[in-house]
Amino acid sequence: MSEDTLQAPEELGEDFLRDPYPVYARLRERGPVARILFNGMPMWLVVGYAAARAALAEPALLKDPDRGARVFAERTGAEHMEAPAERTLGERMLVEHMLNMDPPDHTRLRKLVGKAFTVRRTQALRPGIERVVGRLLDDVADQGETDLLKALAYPLPLTVISDMIGVPEADQAVFGAWSNALTVAVRPEEMQQVADEMAAYLVTLIADKRANPGDDLVSDLIKVRDAGDRLSENELVSMVFQLLVAGYETTTHLIGNGVLALLRHPEQLAAVRADRSLLPGAVEEFCRYDNALHLSTLSITAEPVEIGGVAIPADEFVVVALGSANHDPERFPDPERFDIRREGGGHLAFGHGIHHCMGAPLARLQTEIAVGALLDRFSRIEPAVAPEELRHETSLTRGLESLPVRLVR
């Protein structure tokens, strides 16, 4: 273990959330794993690419919120989280989903829903996604200046995932507001209120789908639940919650961050405008360069484990810095350079191992269609504010608060 690793943990705050990359670069210089304090919680942050990839596949790193709550309470004197049986449905929804599960439950649930997100089934959604994008761009075609997040990057993935799941169009806006509130909530009571409201809505939605099934994912999952008892009612609610939130917020910011990267690199924008075969590679570079989910969900060590040459004791919290791994110069030469022609994949924007994001093909497809349609529809896309006026949200998803642009047909 290096001397730097043994130093007092570095505390990370709001500045880190707004721009984590300088912090990542500084931590990587000390080694692939760093000790930090985040929201008052001591943990280990994996910042090197090779160490991150190994950590994401390490079976000794558990997704165990109950064990984590107990350890945190013991070490900080904080009040212990309620036992699972005592939690409200909203509380369960926040912790009892696939991102916080290990096999065999994770394997069982992922198999049930994974068929909806295969590359083949995702590609079948292309015509519908193209129609949604076309309609959204019609609405702003003659406005000149618009907030691209509000006009396109927010409503597109919200509409797509809501339609897949079966959320009625009239309810989609409020669901989007709930999802936004969850990602920026700083106090547990704020998050809990939103989660309880979402849980109550989902219970009603599931009851409606049970009485009147449709051609949607919720109806399909209800059939599994009612026919084979392989999916509990709590699991059903939590799964729908996870799909809605994860399938919406991260794609919104992938589109926004990607367009911003192109605007800040006009030569790259001109290249993809001139040669659309570069667009899929551009989307991969969006993911690597400034991915929306730059931190993994929390894990806890089941036993002493070595990651990146660092010995981590049992019952320690570990987070993988996906954004840092994607900027590790040992894996990606000149990592701060945005290059849509960059050769080779291997970025960790969608994770790795059993928790690799099953919605990755859908996120890629929506981003490719959205950016391609912008280039088709408008001869010029220009930033409408100075770079220093743009602000990033202080949340665990890395995204802009707004993206004002001028669109010229």
Side-chain angles (χ1 to χ4, degrees):
M1 186 181 297
S2 71
E3 182 179 349
D4 284 337
T5 304
L6 290 169
Q7 293 177 355
E10 177 170 344
E11 187 161 8
L12 306 183
E14 284 194 3
D15 289 344
F16 164 73
L17 291 176
R18 289 197 185 279
D19 186 9
Y21 296 109
V23 177
Y24 288 151
R26 185 174 69 250
L27 293 177
R28 283 196 308 269
E29 289 178 357
R30 302 177 188 172
V33 181
R35 293 177 69 213
I36 64 166
L37 280 175
F38 189 57
N39 288 338
M41 182 184 293
M43 64 181 66
W44 300 80
L45 188 68
V46 184
V47 293
Y49 178 87
R53 193 174 174 91
L56 291 170
E58 172 55 61
L61 294 183
L62 303 181
K63 302 293 184 182
D64 191 339
D66 295 323
R67 181 172 181 162
R70 174 181 56 77
V71 171
F72 180 71
E74 290 172 353
R75 294 184 181 173
T76 64
E79 185 176 347
H80 195 306
M81 185 186 297
E82 293 90 346
E86 299 170 348
R87 293 180 191 150
T88 67
L89 183 54
E91 289 171 321
R92 293 178 183 179
M93 194 172 66
L94 288 173
V95 296
E96 296 178 19
H97 52 71
M98 281 188 290
L99 289 177
N100 285 332
M101 286 183 179
D102 292 312
D105 287 332
H106 175 272
T107 307
R108 172 175 57 88
L109 296 180
R110 188 177 177 104
K111 184 177 180 180
L112 291 176
V113 75
K115 294 177 182 178
F117 292 93
T118 63
V119 173
R120 181 182 62 81
R121 293 196 66 173
T122 296
Q123 285 296 330
L125 299 173
R126 178 182 285 272
I129 296 172
E130 290 173 340
R131 285 192 295 271
V132 174
V133 171
R135 186 182 75 244
L136 293 171
L137 294 183
D138 285 344
D139 292 341
V140 298
D142 298 315
Q143 288 185 7
E145 184 173 318
T146 188
D147 178 357
L148 202 60
L149 289 188
K150 186 180 295 183
L152 177 65
Y154 275 118
L156 171 60
L158 178 62
T159 301
V160 170
I161 196 65
S162 295
D163 287 348
M164 284 184 67
I165 288 174
V167 176
E169 184 176 353
D171 296 340
Q172 291 177 10
V174 69
F175 228 108
W178 280 332
S179 178
N180 292 342
L182 278 179
T183 60
V184 300
V186 294
R187 297 199 303 271
E189 57 269 24
E190 292 175 337
M191 185 174 290
Q192 189 55 61
Q193 179 180 350
V194 175
D196 286 340
E197 291 173 358
M198 291 183 74
Y201 173 84
L202 289 176
V203 168
T204 301
L205 175 68
I206 290 168
D208 290 344
K209 294 293 181 181
R210 184 170 276 126
N212 302 288
D215 184 19
D216 54 70
L217 189 54
V218 170
S219 297
D220 290 345
L221 292 173
I222 288 170
K223 293 174 187 175
V224 171
R225 152 83 177 133
D226 293 348
D229 198 29
R230 299 190 62 220
L231 191 65
S232 73
E233 198 74 5
N234 288 339
E235 288 173 338
L236 178 57
V237 172
S238 294
M239 181 176 288
V240 176
F241 161 79
Q242 180 195 341
L243 293 173
L244 277 166
V245 175
Y248 158 52
E249 196 78 20
T250 54
T251 304
T252 287
H253 293 315
L254 177 58
I255 295 171
N257 295 350
V259 171
L260 177 61
L262 289 175
L263 293 176
R264 288 180 168 173
H265 300 83
E267 76 289 351
Q268 303 280 300
L269 176 58
V272 75
R273 184 183 286 281
D275 182 0
R276 296 306 168 78
S277 69
L278 296 173
L279 190 51
V283 172
E284 293 309 305
E285 183 68 346
F286 297 166
C287 296
R288 185 206 66 84
Y289 184 73
D290 198 12
N291 55 308
L293 193 63
H294 65 106
L295 295 171
S296 73
T297 55
L298 192 69
S299 297
I300 189 167
T301 51
E303 58 191 39
V305 62
E306 183 175 301
I307 299 174
V310 176
I312 302 178
D315 284 340
E316 290 285 319
F317 297 107
V318 178
V319 171
V320 176
L322 307 171
S324 179
N326 288 342
H327 281 246
D328 187 341
E330 293 188 7
R331 175 60 181 82
F332 301 100
D334 196 6
E336 305 309 317
R337 175 173 53 87
F338 176 72
D339 183 3
I340 62 173
R341 294 183 175 88
R342 186 180 291 272
E343 293 185 2
H347 65 72
L348 300 180
F350 296 108
H352 171 66
I354 64 170
H355 289 286
H356 182 271
C357 176
M358 62 186 174
L362 182 58
R364 287 181 167 106
L365 180 63
Q366 291 181 84
T367 304
E368 181 178 332
I369 291 173
V371 174
L374 280 168
L375 298 178
D376 288 340
R377 185 74 67 96
F378 303 102
S379 63
R380 293 205 314 274
I381 306 167
E382 304 168 342
V385 299
E388 59 270 17
E389 294 183 48
L390 293 173
R391 299 274 292 175
H392 282 84
E393 295 178 344
T394 53
S395 72
L396 296 180
T397 53
R398 176 164 169 78
L400 295 162
E401 293 179 352
S402 64
L403 182 54
V405 297
R406 284 186 291 271
L407 302 173
V408 181
R409 299 180 74 171

